[in-house]
Amino acid sequence: MPDVRISELPAANAPADTDFAPLVQSSGGFSETRRATLAQLRGAVLADRGAHVRDYGAVGDGVTDDAPAIQAAINDLKGKGGGTLSFGPHVYRIASAISIYGATIRLQGAGFTEGPGPGQGTWLRIDSTGFTPFTFTGDMARGSAVRDLAVVQQHNAAQDAGWAPTGYDYVFRVEDCYGGVDFDNVFLCAVNRGIYARNSGRVDIRRLRGQVFTTGVEIDQCYDIPRIHNLHFWTFWTSDDDVVRWQQANGDAMVFRRCDGVFIDQAFVLGYRSMFRFASSTAGVTTKFYIGQAYVDFCQYGVWIEGGGTDGQIASLTHQGEIFNAGGPPLAGGIGLYVNASNTRLHVGNLRVDAVEDNAVRVNGTGNRLDIFSLRCARYNYRNNGATAIYLADSGSGTANQLYLGAPPLLERGNGGALVNAGTNALCAAGAPAGRVARPGLALGSADTGLFQPGTGSLALAAGGAEVLRATSAGTVTLGDAPGAHALEVATPVSGANHLTVSGGATGSQVALQAQGIDANIDLSLAGKGSGLLRTATPPTADASTAVATTAWVRAQGYSTGGGTGAVSSVAGRTGAVTLAVADVAGAAPLASPALTGTPTAPTPAATNSSAALATTAFVWSRPAQRQPADASASGGNARGSNATDWQGSRDQATQVASGALAAIGGGAGNTASGTGAVVAGGSGNVVGGAYGWVPGGAQADIRGTYGRGAWSSGAFSTAGDAQAGEFLLRRQTTDNAQTVLTTDGQAPGAGNLATLPNNAVYAARLMVVARQIGGSAGTAGDCGCWIRDVLVKRGASAAATTVLVPGTSTLVAPTAGGDSAANSAWKMGVGADTTNGALVVTVQGETNKTINWVARILSVEVVG
C-alpha cells in the first residue's frame, strides 16, 4: 500500500515485538524501503547501553528495600559482560546484601547535596544491621567503581554521655579482587564503618567525605599501592559534643595493616581517636607508606604506629589534639606522633603538634629510628608535670631508639618542658648550621662522635661513643669522662678578675702554669685532698749535691705567725724527697702534729741548679687553720680535724677544740666542735658533737649529738644544755601514702637524727611543717599545705618513758590552713613519741603517685634534770 496515507492504516493499540516498522533509506537518488520488527529496533537502540535500577523494579522512595532490584540489575549486566548501573536522584533503601562478582560493574549515582541526611541526588539508606550492603569480590570485579552517591545510616540512640553508634558492618567490602576498585565522590553520612579492602591491590579512593564513627577506611593485604586522595571527615551529620567525643575515644579515620606503598594526600579529619593508624595483621605491616598533606583536628593521635617494622614517609602533617568544644584542654593521653612499636622507620618533612597533655612526639619500644626535618611543638606539657616535647623510651638491653632533627625545633608554650627526656639510652640528635666564628651554631658529627645534650642546660661532646667533655649552665666544665668519672674539672669562679693560664712552649722552652688577672700579686694555690701530699716529678741532674729522685714531695707542716712558734727553718734536700720543714721555738725537729695558721713561702735554695730549685711561690695547705699549735694538752689542745678552723685561744681540756673534719670554732673559750662540719661561733662551754650541728654563741649549750640541730643558752643550772633553746630542721620525701617519719638528715629515723630528749627532760616546742608536690603521675606539681602545732613532750628515766602531753594524740591530721585544700586533703601530719629512741617524732603521710617534699622546723625550749 505505497500510496495509502498513515491515517488510513489500521490502528496499533498494543504494538508487539513481532510488529514490523518500515525503514526508508535513500541513496543515489533512489529510495529503498525495508522492514524490521520492534524487537529488532529496540535491540539496536539499546545495544551496549548500561542499566538503570528503575528498569529492574527499584522504587527509590527510601522505604522499599531496593537491594533485590539492584542485585537483579547487576546480575543482568554480568550476563552482558558488565557495564554501568545508573541510580537516579532518589533515596534507595538497602536492607539486604548486594554482591558484585564475575563482572566489572560501575555504580553510578547522580551526585548529592552535602548535609545531615538525604537531599538532592542519589542516596543509599541503611537502617538494619547483620549484613554487608555491598561486596566486590573475585578477579572479574577488578575495575569496578562507585561514583557520585551518598550513604546514610540510621542511629537512634539518644545523643547523651552514653551515646554509641549502631553496629553496622562496612558499607563497602572489597575482598579478594586481586586488583583495583575505585571510589570517587562518595559521601558517607552518619556511617559506622565505611570502606574495607583486603587482598585487592590498587584500590583508589578519591573525594571521600562524610562523618564516619568507628572506621572510615581499613586496608589489609594490599600488595600493590592503594591510593587515598582528597579525604574530608567532618561533623556533617551532627556536632553534638557526646557524639564527637565518642569518636575521639573510639574512632579511627584510616587503618592500615599489611599495605605496600599506600599513597595518601590532601586529607583532613576532625574528631577521632586517630587519623592514621598503622596496625598489623597475620599478613604483616605497612611498609613504604607516603602521606603528602594532612591536617588532624581534635584527635587524640595524629599518627599512631603500633605494628612493629612499619616504615614510611610524611611530607607535612599538622595535629591539634583538643577535647572537642571544651575551650582548649587537650585529650587525655593525646600525642601527635605516637610510635608504640619496635624497629619502625619514619621520615617526616614538616610536623606541627599543638595541644597535648604531655609529649608531642612519643617513641616506645626498641630499635626505632625517626628523622624529622622541621618540628614545631605548641602547648605541650599542658599538665605542667615536666613532660618533654619528645619522649624516647629507654630500650634496656634492646637496640636503642634514635630520633634525628634536621633543624632546631620550635618549642612554644610548653610550660618550660624540655626538648627530650633524660635518663634514657635513646639518641636525640639535632643538625643545624655551623654558624660563624663570631656567632657559632651547632655542628654535629656522627651518632657516636659530636655534640649532644645530656640534660637541660648542659652540652657535652662525645668521641667514639664516650663522653669526653661536658659544660653546664653553672659554668663548670669537666674533661675526660662524664661528671664523677672525669679527669679534670674547671669550676665556676667567684669572680673573673683573676684566672689560671696554661700555655705551651716552643722547642727547647718550658710550658707554663701561671696565675693571671688584674691584681698585681696573685697567689697560685696547689692542694691535695685531706692529708694528701702534693707530688711533683723532677728530672734527675748530674749535680749530686742538688739531685733529687724522679718524684719529690712537698709536705705541709705546722706554721704560725705569732711568737715565732713554727717559723720556717729550712728546706732540706735529700735523695728521694724534698721536705719543707718547720721548727718550733727552740729550733727542734719538725712538729709531729702540723698546724697551719698562715700561708708559708718556701725559700729558694742556694743552689743555682734550676732543676732542683724551689721557687718562692706560696703554697696553700690542706691542713687545719688554728690559733695555737696542737700539743695534746689543755694549752694547745688535741689535733684539729682535716680542713678545720679553730681560732679559740683558751680551753680547760685538750678535747675542747675543732676536732671534726671541716669543723669551725670562731673564738671564745672551752668550746668543742667534734662533729663533721660542726660550728661554734663563739661563747664558752658550748658543745657541738653531731655532724653539721651549730651553736651561735652564748654559754653552756649542747646539741646532744643530733645531726644538723642548733642550740643556744645563756648558762646552765648544773650541766651544759640543761636550760637552753634549740632548733631542729627535718625533711623527707614521699612517693606513696605510707606513714613516714621526718629526720634531720632525710634518712631512716634513729637516735642521732630525731628531736631526741635526754633522760629526765621536758621540751616545749613550736612545730611548723610545710609540704609541696614536685612530681608524680597524679596531682599537680606545686600543690602544697602546712601545719602549725604547739607541743609539750616529756621523757622520764629512760627512752621508754617518753610521752607527748600536748596535743595528747598522735593521730595524723589534714593541713592546718592555706595551701591547695582541694589537692592536699589526703595529706596528713601528726606528732608522737618514739619510745625506742626517746624522741619527739613528726610523722607525715602523702599520696600514691605524688612525689612530695616535706620540711619541718621545731623551735624548742628545754629543761633537763
Side-chain angles (χ1 to χ4, degrees):
M1 296 180 294
D3 57 347
V4 177
R5 290 180 300 175
I6 293 176
S7 60
E8 296 176 335
L9 294 174
N13 295 322
D17 284 349
T18 56
D19 287 344
F20 289 109
L23 298 175
V24 179
Q25 183 179 27
S26 296
S27 177
F30 295 95
S31 297
E32 185 176 9
T33 301
R34 297 283 184 178
R35 296 183 303 172
T37 65
L38 294 181
Q40 289 174 321
L41 290 174
R42 184 167 56 251
V45 171
L46 300 180
D48 300 327
R49 185 182 77 89
H52 196 290
V53 294
R54 298 292 294 275
D55 294 337
Y56 295 85
V59 178
D61 59 1
V63 177
T64 304
D65 181 9
D66 289 324
I70 296 171
Q71 185 68 67
I74 291 170
N75 293 342
D76 189 39
L77 286 173
K78 181 170 64 173
K80 298 176 181 179
T84 299
L85 179 58
S86 298
F87 293 74
H90 298 279
V91 180
Y92 300 91
R93 179 171 176 256
I94 309 299
S96 56
I98 298 170
S99 179
I100 296 93
Y101 65 94
T104 300
I105 307 295
R106 298 195 172 212
L107 307 182
Q108 179 65 57
F112 52 84
T113 301
E114 290 182 351
Q120 293 185 342
T122 300
W123 287 77
L124 306 179
R125 179 169 184 165
I126 302 169
D127 56 13
S128 58
T129 62
F131 67 98
T132 301
F134 294 91
T135 300
F136 297 84
T137 186
D139 57 1
M140 294 300 293
R142 287 180 292 179
S144 294
V146 179
R147 293 182 174 178
D148 303 323
L149 55 78
V151 181
V152 64
Q153 292 177 339
Q154 185 171 323
H155 301 270
N156 296 323
Q159 293 182 6
D160 55 23
W163 184 89
T166 303
Y168 296 102
D169 190 21
Y170 287 92
V171 176
F172 302 100
R173 281 184 176 269
V174 182
E175 298 265 8
D176 299 321
C177 288
Y178 313 108
V181 173
D182 294 347
F183 294 84
D184 190 358
N185 195 30
V186 175
F187 184 54
L188 303 177
C189 180
V191 167
N192 184 42
R193 294 180 175 90
I195 301 171
Y196 176 84
R198 185 187 64 83
N199 199 20
S200 301
R202 301 180 298 280
V203 169
D204 198 323
I205 301 172
R206 295 173 182 269
R207 294 188 295 167
L208 178 64
R209 286 161 282 176
Q211 184 171 6
V212 183
F213 302 126
T214 300
T215 308
V217 177
E218 182 172 350
I219 303 177
D220 190 14
Q221 290 180 249
C222 189
Y223 303 109
D224 190 359
I225 304 182
R227 291 171 171 82
I228 301 175
H229 187 78
N230 279 344
L231 180 142
H232 194 101
F233 287 166
W234 187 64
T235 56
F236 289 98
W237 182 60
T238 181
S239 58
D240 178 81
D241 289 355
D242 296 308
V243 174
V244 179
R245 291 178 186 177
W246 188 95
Q247 293 176 206
Q248 290 183 304
N250 303 278
D252 300 310
M254 287 168 275
V255 180
F256 304 97
R257 300 188 186 278
R258 170 63 191 275
C259 294
D260 292 350
V262 57
F263 289 177
I264 311 148
D265 199 10
Q266 301 291 323
F268 169 83
V269 302
L270 182 148
Y272 287 90
R273 174 174 58 187
S274 71
M275 181 175 187
F276 300 102
R277 180 180 178 186
F278 293 94
S280 63
S281 70
T282 56
V285 298
T286 298
T287 58
K288 299 182 288 293
F289 71 81
Y290 180 85
I291 298 172
Q293 299 181 65
Y295 182 9
V296 191
D297 204 4
F298 293 102
C299 292
Q300 185 176 22
Y301 307 127
V303 176
W304 177 14
I305 299 177
E306 54 182 352
T310 300
D311 73 80
Q313 295 175 305
I314 300 172
S316 183
L317 185 140
T318 296
H319 171 274
Q320 185 159 321
E322 297 174 338
I323 300 171
F324 182 73
N325 201 25
L331 287 158
I335 303 167
L337 175 54
Y338 183 30
V339 178
N340 194 26
S342 296
N343 302 315
T344 67
R345 298 291 183 269
L346 183 61
H347 289 189
V348 182
N350 301 288
L351 175 62
R352 172 177 175 171
V353 179
D354 193 332
V356 290
E357 267 197 341
D358 297 327
N359 312 115
V361 176
R362 186 177 183 94
V363 180
N364 292 335
T366 65
N368 297 293
R369 170 161 176 168
L370 281 70
D371 293 80
I372 303 176
F373 178 78
S374 179
L375 174 64
R376 179 181 179 185
C377 303
R379 290 199 296 157
Y380 67 97
N381 187 26
Y382 187 89
R383 295 191 295 170
N384 197 16
N385 61 354
T388 54
I390 298 171
Y391 177 87
L392 300 175
D394 191 308
S395 66
S397 60
T399 303
N401 295 306
Q402 303 173 66
L403 190 149
Y404 295 91
L405 298 170
L410 176 58
L411 306 181
E412 299 177 302
R413 293 175 290 167
N415 289 320
L419 172 63
V420 66
N421 56 300
T424 176
N425 66 353
L427 170 68
C428 181
R436 296 175 295 182
V437 174
R439 191 176 297 165
L442 181 63
L444 298 176
S446 66
D448 293 326
T449 300
L451 296 174
F452 67 98
Q453 188 178 31
T456 302
S458 62
L459 186 65
L461 175 66
E467 181 176 332
V468 295
L469 178 148
R470 182 179 296 191
T472 70
S473 59
T476 299
V477 177
T478 58
L479 298 173
D481 206 332
H486 57 278
L488 175 65
E489 178 174 320
V490 180
T492 304
V494 177
S495 170
N498 300 323
H499 59 272
L500 178 68
T501 298
V502 180
S503 58
T507 303
S509 301
Q510 66 180 8
V511 296
L513 179 68
Q514 297 176 310
Q516 298 288 344
I518 63 174
D519 293 344
N521 300 294
I522 306 171
D523 291 342
L524 180 63
S525 300
L526 300 176
K529 181 179 179 181
S531 59
L533 301 176
L534 180 63
R535 301 170 182 263
T536 64
T538 305
T541 177
D543 186 348
S545 64
T546 57
V548 295
T550 302
T551 302
W553 291 267
V554 176
R555 180 177 303 230
Q557 298 289 355
Y559 179 78
S560 175
T561 58
T565 301
V568 175
S569 63
S570 68
V571 175
R574 65 182 185 274
T575 301
V578 175
T579 302
L580 177 63
V582 183
D584 61 13
V585 176
L591 297 173
S593 177
L596 172 65
T597 57
T599 304
T601 299
T604 303
T608 59
N609 189 333
S610 61
S611 63
L614 289 177
T616 56
T617 303
F619 292 88
V620 177
W621 317 108
S622 58
R623 295 297 190 188
Q626 60 195 69
R627 180 175 178 180
Q628 299 164 315
D631 60 4
S633 70
S635 175
N638 292 337
R640 280 43 164 193
S642 175
N643 291 298
T645 301
D646 190 342
W647 301 121
Q648 181 173 242
S650 174
R651 62 193 56 79
D652 299 324
Q653 303 175 30
T655 58
Q656 294 172 346
V657 296
S659 58
L662 305 174
I665 298 178
N671 296 303
T672 301
S674 59
T676 298
V679 174
V680 179
S684 65
N686 298 297
V687 180
V688 182
Y692 302 107
W694 51 275
V695 170
Q700 295 181 286
D702 187 353
I703 72 165
R704 301 191 178 95
T706 301
Y707 182 102
R709 76 157 290 187
W712 57 96
S713 176
S714 59
F717 293 112
S718 59
T719 60
D722 66 2
Q724 68 180 16
E727 181 169 356
F728 304 79
L729 195 64
L730 317 174
R731 72 182 190 277
R732 288 294 285 278
Q733 185 180 89
T734 63
T735 58
D736 53 24
N737 62 352
Q739 293 189 11
T740 303
V741 174
L742 304 187
T743 59
T744 58
D745 60 0
Q747 305 300 312
N753 61 4
L754 297 172
T756 304
L757 287 70
N759 290 337
N760 303 312
V762 60
Y763 287 5
R766 167 61 59 92
L767 170 66
M768 294 178 287
V769 181
V770 66
R772 186 180 191 273
Q773 182 175 349
I774 65 166
S777 59
T780 302
D783 289 344
C784 57
C786 74
W787 295 255
I788 300 175
R789 294 286 185 276
D790 289 326
V791 181
L792 182 63
V793 59
K794 177 181 179 181
R795 174 170 169 170
S798 65
T802 304
T803 58
V804 175
L805 304 178
V806 177
T809 176
S810 60
T811 302
L812 273 64
V813 296
T816 302
D820 303 291
S821 59
N824 65 23
S825 59
W827 304 0
K828 300 291 189 296
M829 187 282 297
V831 294
D834 181 339
T835 56
T836 299
N837 298 301
L840 170 68
V841 293
V842 180
T843 303
V844 299
Q845 180 177 339
E847 287 186 82
T848 301
N849 297 325
K850 293 186 178 182
T851 301
I852 304 171
N853 284 348
W854 302 80
V855 178
R857 184 187 188 194
I858 300 176
L859 299 176
S860 63
V861 287
E862 308 167 9
V863 174
V864 182

